[in-house]
Structures are given as C-alpha cells and as structure tokens.
Amino acid sequence: MGKYMYDQSRAPIYEALERFREMRVVPFDVPGHKHGKGNPELTAFLGEKCVGVDVNSMKPLDNLCHPVSVIREAEILAADAFGAANAFLMVGGTTSSVQSMVLSSCKRGDKIILPRNVHRSVINALVLCGAVPVYVNPDVDRKLGISLGMSVDQVRKAIRENPDAVAVLVNNPTYYGVCSDLRTIVKLAHEAGMMCLADEAHGTHFYFGDGMPVTAMEAGADMAAVSMHKSGGSLTQSSLLLTGERVNAGHVRQIINLTQTTSGSYLLMSSLDISRRNLAQRGKAVFRKVTEMAEYAREEINAVGGYYAYGRELINGDSIFDFDPTKLSVHTRDIGLAGIEVYDILRDEYDIQIEFGDIGNILAYLSIGDRMQELERLVSALAEIKRRYMKDSYGLLSQEYIAPEVVYSPQEAFYANKKSVPLSESEGYICSEFVMCYPPGIPILAPGERITREILDYIVYAKTKGCSLTGPEDPMIENINIIREEEKISWNSGSVNAMPRMLSTACV
C-alpha cells in the first residue's frame, strides 16, 4: 500500500451498512421514519437507498461516542491516511472539530496565542471554556486588502511575552490560501512547552496532493481540524479531528462527547469513510488536475485584465510562507466592483455560485468535483462582467482586516450584563456579541472588543455592498449588544476605570 500501513481500499462503515441493508431488519428503534416508510415525501426527495441507511447506533454498526468496531476501524484508517496518531470522525462540521481541539487544550483563564483572522468557531470555543486570546495581528497585503499569515517574529514575541500561554493556533491555510511557516511555529510552541493547533478547514487536499504546503501532521502539530466536506468530497457537516503522538486521545474523546451528538449520522460517517478511501487511492492524481485547472484559470483571468487572480508569486518566506495552489482567489477592486458585487452578479445573471465575495475579493473553490468546462464558463462570465460593469474604483474600501482592541475575554463579554443600542451610537462601547460576514465567518467584531469608528464604517459599507452579515441578536444588524456601563467609555482616551478584570494581554 505504499506509504500506508493499512489497507486503504477498505471502508468499514460503508461495508457494515451494506450488510445491514441486506439483512432487512425490522426497525423498532429510532429514527421514526422507519427506513423512509413513514415519510414518503422525504423518501421521494432523498431516495430509498439514502433514507434506508439513515439508522441509529446498534451493535453491528458501532457507536460514535465509544467506538469499538467498524467506526473504530474507520478512524484507524483515517489516521493512517492522514499520517496522524489518531483520527476522530466528526458529524458537527469542522466547527465541532475546532471547538473540541480548543476545549481539549484550554480551560478557564488559560491563554491561547492565535491570529485574529480565525473562524468564528475558535472564538466560540473561548466563550465556552473561558480561555483568554492573545492575538497575533496578521500582516495585511495593502493592495489586495487581505489578511495574511502569522509572521514567525510576531509568534516568537507573543510566546516571549506570554510564557504562561498553553497553546498556539495557526490557520493552515487562510480562506484566501495563505500559509504561515507552520514547521517553525510548531517548533517555537513546543520549545516553550505549548501545544500547537492547526485549523485546516481548507487544507484537506494538502495531505494527498503533490507539491502542496506542509500539513499540520507533517509539521508536528498536536491537533488539526480537517474539513473533509470542503475539498475532500464528503457530505456537508462531516469533518475529522486529527491528533499527534503527544496528545491523550482518551481525553480528546471525552471532550468531543461533551458537545457532539450521541446520535451520529451514518450518512455523514459513511461519507467520511468512502471519501477517505477515495482520497487515499486517487487523491494524488485528482489534486494534480485541480492544481492544473487553478493555474489555467489564474492565467486566463489575469489575461482578461482588471482582475488579479493571485497565487504563489505572493510568497515572501514569512507571513506568506506558502500558498495553496488550488485556491482561485481573485481581486476585483480594480474593475470598480466589490467582490460581493461580482459574487451577486455571477449568481443572479450567470447561474454561477462561487464560495464567497467580500469587499475586495472573490473565491471560487476548486476541488475534486470540478471540470474544465465549468471553469471556462466562469472565466467567460468574469470577462463579460468586466465589459458590462467596469467602472472607476474611486470610493471603494480596500481594507479587509481591522486590528481589534481587546478589553474583555470573549466569555466575560458574552455573558456580561448587556444592552442593545443603535449601531450608529455604539462607538466606544465594548461589544458583547459577534458581527461577521458569512462566508468566510471571520468576525469583524467579537465579544470583548471595542467598537471603533473604523469598524462601524466597515460594517455599514459591507451592508451597503450586500455582504451577508450575521452574528448579532438583531437580524437586521441595526442594533448591537454592548456591555452595560454607567457611562460611555471613550476609546480615544483609553479610560477603562469602570471595567473590572480587564485583560492585561494586548494584541501583538
């Protein structure tokens, strides 16, 4: 089997479900649709084969909370395929993988060093466990307006100033495809007695393609959250949590079971099983084609003019240590359109759904299911959009990342006494909820951060351009929850006298 220790042609959960289907078992258990017979409309929509294997845990099919047979075999095969000591099947999306990773590493009051351009799920985990973030503000590409990776010097400085931190978390890669120097960051963390965690939601293909950036497990990271349903081809909401040799797998399983469902979906688990087998057997050839398609698309889009489809030419050896060659990230500002405007036009007028658009960029997500003819259609549509809609870029915002001022830990702010105020009157207050564009789900504001004029201008601009803003209690994002104080605190003067237990750690 080459680099693998186990037979990667196996798919134990899938095989067990096939055996179960042949047995024609009479169900007096849940789910209540009873192999689809009780819900004919659902069966007609999803198909008899699908609902027929939407079953509950039973001895022949194992149990996700305490796997001892087919699910355990699937986990061992996944760990082998990804080069990990252990792998856990996750059915709550990579959000649950990230949260389990953080909750396994941190408890209330612990410091964790991380970039501020993390996915919401990371900060959600801090709300749950009470850990304190020490943010390393990422470098920013001023032309593209995107946040980059963490520089090694910034990580080293954060570790030196916070020797009591318990972990360092790294995006590998960012949404745009940017990778930090993961090997060096792992080394720095371990030398300081800290764990190193990797959010690899967008890095599944790193484990199987040639010429890809280093994977978390290769780099020696302790844990990695891997979004199999993104570039790996499994069903939406299915994910993996990988751990290295230094991690107590039994403890991680206990942490996972605190929040993950006790009724694991066999549709999701079998999709992980089958997709892992597919990647182990065919991933190298498949991702070579994906990379070639991305390279072709970058060349064609750049030849159109006005757009900038960026790639490995950005690598600077530090904050852009490497770049994901499958990412088709395109800067749109020079044709006078925000990324979200191009996103909307592609969907509404060309029936092309891309991954996301923000104020300056779009991302077309390429993976194992894409074909060249669809890519040609995208390139043609972008050329036509430029011809039809190009205008002067005057007045367009260019900055995607605004460095926050952290005053409270996310948990303290989220659970503090709060009140709702109009967004337009919130400057200077401390936010007690999230505000973000989704996708990508990176918070513009997180609980415990001060609301500044620059942030408010960004939110208003993003709303105007049509970004999908989520997070606040107010679905219209007209009001925002702030920590209740007797009087407004001026962020210009930095007065924090009214605030108990203010964080002593600052952003790096």
Side-chain angles (χ1 to χ4, degrees), residues 323-475:
F323 192 88
D324 177 359
T326 72
K327 281 287 182 291
L328 186 54
S329 303
V330 184
H331 188 60
T332 65
R333 189 172 175 273
D334 291 341
I335 66 165
L337 294 176
I340 187 62
E341 292 175 309
V342 176
Y343 170 101
D344 286 338
I345 294 168
L346 282 169
R347 184 195 60 245
D348 295 343
E349 300 188 26
Y350 294 90
D351 296 329
I352 295 174
Q353 181 63 58
I354 58 172
E355 175 67 9
F356 83 91
D358 53 34
I359 65 172
N361 301 270
I362 59 172
L363 172 66
Y365 207 99
L366 304 188
S367 67
I368 61 177
D370 288 295
R371 300 292 180 267
M372 189 61 82
Q373 57 265 37
E374 284 96 4
L375 210 50
E376 294 277 14
R377 185 173 162 189
L378 172 63
V379 173
S380 298
L382 289 174
E384 195 169 308
I385 288 170
K386 180 198 169 188
R387 179 180 60 79
R388 293 174 61 198
Y389 294 101
M390 185 172 180
K391 59 188 177 185
D392 192 283
S393 61
Y394 177 79
L396 287 181
L397 281 184
S398 62
Q399 185 66 14
E400 293 293 344
Y401 177 76
I402 302 170
E405 180 190 345
V406 182
V407 181
Y408 283 154
S409 76
Q411 186 183 70
E412 287 176 313
F414 188 83
Y415 290 110
N417 290 327
K418 61 191 74 173
K419 66 177 179 180
S420 178
V421 299
L423 194 66
S424 59
E425 299 173 15
S426 65
E427 182 180 357
Y429 287 112
I430 308 304
C431 186
S432 68
E433 57 186 354
F434 291 92
V435 182
M436 72 206 82
C437 294
Y438 189 85
I442 296 166
I444 303 165
L445 271 172
E449 295 175 1
R450 199 183 299 280
I451 303 168
T452 66
R453 174 48 49 193
E454 187 180 16
I455 289 170
L456 291 174
D457 289 344
Y458 182 98
I459 292 170
V460 171
Y461 181 84
K463 286 177 66 177
T464 301
K465 289 298 183 183
C467 289
S468 178
L469 287 168
T470 66
E473 281 185 14
D474 176 10

Side-chain angles (χ1 to χ4, degrees), residues 208-282:
F208 301 98
D210 280 332
M212 296 289 176
V214 68
T215 69
M217 291 297 104
E218 266 186 294
D222 297 292
M223 305 180 77
V226 179
S227 223
M228 276 288 278
H229 71 91
K230 291 187 170 71
S231 59
S234 64
L235 291 179
T236 296
Q237 202 175 304
S238 57
S239 179
L240 293 173
L241 178 58
L242 309 177
T243 66
E245 296 285 355
R246 296 161 32 112
V247 175
N248 181 339
H251 173 66
V252 173
R253 177 87 67 192
Q254 288 183 321
I255 294 293
I256 290 170
N257 287 341
L258 288 177
T259 56
Q260 182 159 260
T261 178
T262 56
S263 305
S265 166
Y266 279 88
L267 298 176
L268 298 181
M269 287 189 282
S270 61
S271 83
L272 284 169
D273 203 20
I274 293 166
S275 299
R276 180 269 314 151
R277 180 177 68 177
N278 180 50
L279 294 180
Q281 294 184 314
R282 293 180 280 276

